[in-house]
């Protein structure tokens, strides 16, 4: 159905946009692609954008939710491939060694996003991340890549680089079969990279060493290769020299992902087990859960059950990230996607939890679920004691989007009633403050 609507047919578009809480609706009849593009431009400033396309000829209907680029996203990326042609991988790199630049180049080279859409680095798309230039929240993107005349589906799962988020890193590694180890060829291996490489090795990931920034005059790829071999003990005979900035070595990296990273296990007939590697709160749709299907399959309308939080919901929407959200009917073992189910709090769908079916529960959950343990604490007191309930409401709202934030009431003889708040680390505290 979606395909029919993408081949330039005349379509009726129902466009909903939101400005703050206010919804605006427009109808338009046009060739699908050009109109969708101009609509995207017109409404680019709106925070949320939804187009429902109905083919005038066939009455077929599809809904494309895409806050950034509307219907421009190519539907051929939704093409299903056999599990043997899926590759799930992440990028391990020290801060500033070029992970985001490389991720963007991979998205560009596979046609997932166009060059002109790349004004801002794509995978780091939270404002705060941009401001601080670091990756905080995990995100994912599906790419379509042709290798020896066969279509492959490559899922890149982004990992945060900061030590406060090592648990999130470990969950995203558990969702992959392979990792690109990106090392700045003018710098060398850093301690933080080591910790993540060991995590990847523990998860049996196939690691592809990539030497980035070879365009720099100070690059010493041979020295860095020796360093990786000595420090990590990784065979670097097939390390790939690259410049993410200049686009050198990108095809070699894509080919290596297909050739060297194993496909996921084909377990589509088993009871559903999907690993949550990220979630965020959307004020319109509730919590959006990012997951990797490990066993079984999941489709829209399924009654799902979160094994750690003991909560059940109906999946309103299931889709893939490319990198924007695109709805699909079903996702099966090996695939990576998102779902929404009118979930009110991220605590119900925590990173590391296992999703299964309410009526056909998996026997055991996937390993590795951990409660977030706060490491840094601070006392928070209202200036005016009457504002205590407001402060509590504000903290509860914040917690809807950040299940790692903990707080409990506290009294102090000097400050009165307040809260003791726990954070994962100093950076986490700064982010919550912002
Ligand atoms: N010369 C050169 N510079 C590069 C290359 N790749 C990345 N850079 C630059 O290195 C800096 C850091 O790159 P990023 O891609 O933001 O690094 P990152 O690893 O994603 O950093 P975090 O998001 O903080 O983890 C930027 O200024 C890039 O332009 C490269 O191949 N050559």
């Amino acid at each position: 159905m979606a395909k029919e609507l993408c081949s330039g047919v005349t379509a009726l578009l129902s466009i909903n946009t939101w400005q703050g809480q206010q919804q605006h609706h427009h109808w338009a009849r046009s060739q699908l692609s050009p109109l969708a593009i101009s609509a995207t431009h017109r409404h680019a400033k709106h925070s949320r954008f939804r187009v429902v396309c109905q083919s005038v000829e066939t009455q077929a209907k599809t809904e494309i939710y895409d806050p950034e680029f509307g219907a421009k996203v190519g539907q051929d990326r939704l093409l299903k491939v056999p599990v043997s042609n899926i590759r799930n991988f992440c990028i391990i790199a020290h801060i500033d060694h070029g992970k985001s630049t490389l991720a963007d180049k991979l998205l560009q080279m596979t046609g997932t996003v166009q060059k002109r859409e790349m004004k801002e680095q794509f995978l780091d798309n939270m404002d705060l991340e941009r401001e601080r230039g670091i990756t905080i929240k995990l995100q994912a993107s599906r790419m379509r890549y042709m290798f020896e005349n066969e279509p492959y589906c490559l899922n890149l799962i982004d990992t945060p680089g900061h030590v406060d988020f090592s648990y999130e890193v470990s969950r995203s590694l558990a969702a992959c079969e392979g990792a690109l180890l990106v090392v700045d060829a003018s710098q060398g291996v850093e301690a933080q990279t080591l910790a993540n490489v060991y995590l990847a090795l523990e998860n049996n990931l196939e690691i592809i060493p990539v030497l980035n920034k070879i365009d720099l005059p100070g690059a010493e790829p041979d020295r860095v290769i020796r360093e990786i071999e000595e420090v990590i003990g990784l065979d670097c005979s097939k390390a790939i020299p690259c410049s993410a900035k200049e686009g050198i070595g990108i095809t070699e990296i894509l080919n290596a992902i297909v050739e060297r990273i194993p496909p996921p296990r084909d377990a589509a007939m088993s009871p559903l087990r999907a690993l949550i590697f990220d979630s965020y709160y959307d004020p319109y749709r509730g919590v959006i859960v990012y997951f990797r299907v490990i066993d079984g399959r999941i489709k829209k309308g399924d009654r799902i059950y979160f094994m750690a939080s003991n909560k059940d919901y109906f999946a309103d929407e299931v889709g893939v990230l490319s990198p924007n959200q695109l709805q699909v009917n079903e996702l099966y073992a090996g695939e990576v996607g998102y779902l929404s189910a009118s979930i009110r709090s991220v605590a119900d769908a925590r990173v590391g939890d296992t999703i299964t079916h309410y009526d056909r529960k998996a026997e055991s959950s996937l390993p590795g679920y951990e409660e977030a343990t706060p490491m840094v604490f601070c006392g928070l007191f209202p200036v005016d004691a009457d504002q205590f309930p407001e402060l509590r409401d504000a903290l509860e709202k914040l917690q809807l989007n950040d299940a790692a934030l903990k707080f409990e009431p506290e009294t102090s003889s000097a400050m009165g009633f307040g809260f003791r708040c726990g954070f994962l680390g100093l950076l986490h505290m700064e982010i919550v403050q912002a």
Side-chain angles (χ1 to χ4, degrees):
M1 186 158 62
K3 254 192 171 164
E4 284 173 51
L5 291 178
C6 246
S7 49
V9 292
T10 309
L12 206 55
L13 297 177
S14 153
I15 303 168
N16 285 328
T17 53
W18 279 260
Q19 201 164 30
Q21 292 295 321
Q22 244 191 337
Q23 184 176 335
H24 304 273
H25 183 255
H26 322 257
W27 281 106
R29 183 190 164 107
S30 169
Q31 287 282 96
L32 181 57
S33 322
L35 187 107
I37 290 168
S38 75
T40 314
H41 286 310
R42 255 188 298 135
H43 300 293
K45 60 181 186 297
H46 294 281
S47 59
R48 189 158 178 241
F49 176 65
R50 180 177 286 234
V51 187
V52 177
C53 315
Q54 180 162 11
S55 161
V56 172
E57 285 90 353
T58 64
Q59 306 299 310
K61 217 177 191 182
T62 188
E63 195 172 87
I64 299 170
Y65 169 69
D66 185 347
E68 302 247 20
F69 300 117
K72 269 198 289 177
V73 176
Q75 296 280 339
D76 64 342
R77 240 167 291 152
L78 299 182
L79 193 79
K80 290 269 181 203
V81 298
V83 181
S84 56
N85 287 16
I86 297 177
R87 301 290 182 271
N88 295 319
F89 71 103
C90 57
I91 304 178
I92 298 175
H94 187 69
I95 291 163
D96 279 349
H97 281 206
K99 184 175 71 172
S100 309
T101 312
L102 177 61
D104 291 348
K105 267 295 184 303
L106 296 175
L107 296 188
Q108 241 179 64
M109 287 286 287
T110 51
T112 312
V113 287
Q114 304 301 318
K115 197 168 178 192
R116 67 200 137 81
E117 297 168 354
M118 303 289 301
K119 273 190 235 101
E120 298 285 347
Q121 287 181 342
F122 220 100
L123 281 173
D124 288 354
N125 70 10
M126 273 168 71
D127 286 348
L128 189 72
E129 286 185 36
R130 222 173 258 157
E131 205 178 283
R132 301 185 55 123
I134 50 159
T135 313
I136 303 160
K137 276 296 213 180
L138 297 174
Q139 278 158 343
S141 183
R142 173 183 176 120
M143 295 172 258
R144 188 164 181 265
Y145 184 59
M146 291 299 286
F147 181 74
E148 295 180 343
N149 289 328
E150 269 199 58
Y152 282 80
C153 168
L154 313 182
N155 289 310
L156 165 60
I157 295 178
D158 199 19
T159 53
H162 196 275
V163 71
D164 280 9
F165 302 97
S166 62
Y167 174 64
E168 291 193 348
V169 174
S170 80
R171 293 307 81 207
S172 61
L173 294 180
C176 298
E177 279 79 25
L180 302 177
L181 167 62
V182 175
V183 182
D184 183 332
S186 66
Q187 307 265 332
V189 185
E190 311 270 351
Q192 172 122 44
T193 323
L194 282 183
N196 288 340
V197 174
Y198 292 137
L199 263 178
L201 290 169
E202 270 171 35
N203 279 280
N204 292 324
L205 262 56
E206 177 67 35
I207 296 177
I208 301 173
V210 171
L211 302 167
N212 192 28
K213 307 199 187 181
I214 52 155
D215 60 296
L216 287 179
E220 296 178 276
D222 294 336
R223 174 184 67 80
V224 174
I225 282 182
R226 275 198 308 278
E227 199 177 294
I228 300 175
E229 287 186 332
E230 278 163 22
V231 179
I232 308 176
L234 207 64
D235 173 15
C236 282
S237 57
K238 290 200 280 180
I240 304 171
C242 111
S243 165
K245 196 171 174 185
E246 305 294 331
I248 302 166
I250 309 299
T251 309
E252 287 75 3
I253 294 173
L254 288 165
N255 292 347
I257 292 168
V258 171
E259 289 182 302
R260 285 155 64 181
I261 297 178
R265 209 159 42 92
D266 186 358
M269 301 316 286
S270 311
L272 172 67
R273 286 203 300 178
L275 173 69
I276 302 179
F277 61 83
D278 196 12
S279 63
Y280 73 92
Y281 184 73
D282 175 316
Y284 301 99
R285 297 183 295 164
V287 177
I288 308 293
V289 180
Y290 291 177
F291 59 90
R292 149 84 194 265
V293 188
I294 306 285
D295 300 326
R297 39 181 76 207
I298 180 167
K299 62 179 190 311
K300 186 176 167 171
D302 282 356
R303 188 172 184 187
I304 51 172
Y305 175 69
F306 294 91
M307 296 180 84
S309 66
N310 211 3
K311 294 275 166 53
D312 66 284
Y313 290 95
F314 285 96
D316 303 328
E317 190 178 318
V318 172
V320 296
L321 301 147
S322 192
N324 300 307
Q325 297 173 356
L326 291 175
Q327 282 195 51
V328 298
N329 288 332
E330 191 171 32
L331 288 171
Y332 56 88
E335 292 193 289
V336 174
Y338 75 93
L339 68 82
S340 76
S342 309
I343 304 167
R344 276 209 50 246
S345 160
V346 282
D348 292 355
R350 285 281 316 276
V351 170
D353 198 351
T354 303
I355 308 169
T356 188
H357 279 129
Y358 186 80
D359 300 318
R360 191 188 175 211
K361 292 194 178 76
E363 275 178 16
S364 59
S365 53
L366 295 161
Y369 178 76
E370 272 175 29
E371 279 291 329
T373 324
M375 299 303 226
V376 173
F377 295 88
C378 82
L380 210 59
F381 295 88
V383 177
D384 178 348
D386 292 347
Q387 286 177 327
F388 178 81
E390 283 165 47
L391 181 63
R392 188 189 49 222
D393 289 351
L395 284 169
E396 274 170 4
K397 274 203 190 114
L398 212 52
Q399 209 177 32
L400 286 179
N401 199 20
D402 185 356
L405 168 72
K406 306 274 177 212
F407 64 92
E408 54 188 46
E410 182 178 48
T411 40
S412 140
S413 49
M415 314 279 277
F417 290 103
F419 292 97
R420 181 176 147 84
C421 305
F423 305 91
L424 294 178
L426 285 172
L427 179 73
H428 184 212
M429 182 163 81
E430 265 184 58
I431 290 165
V432 172
Q433 277 171 356

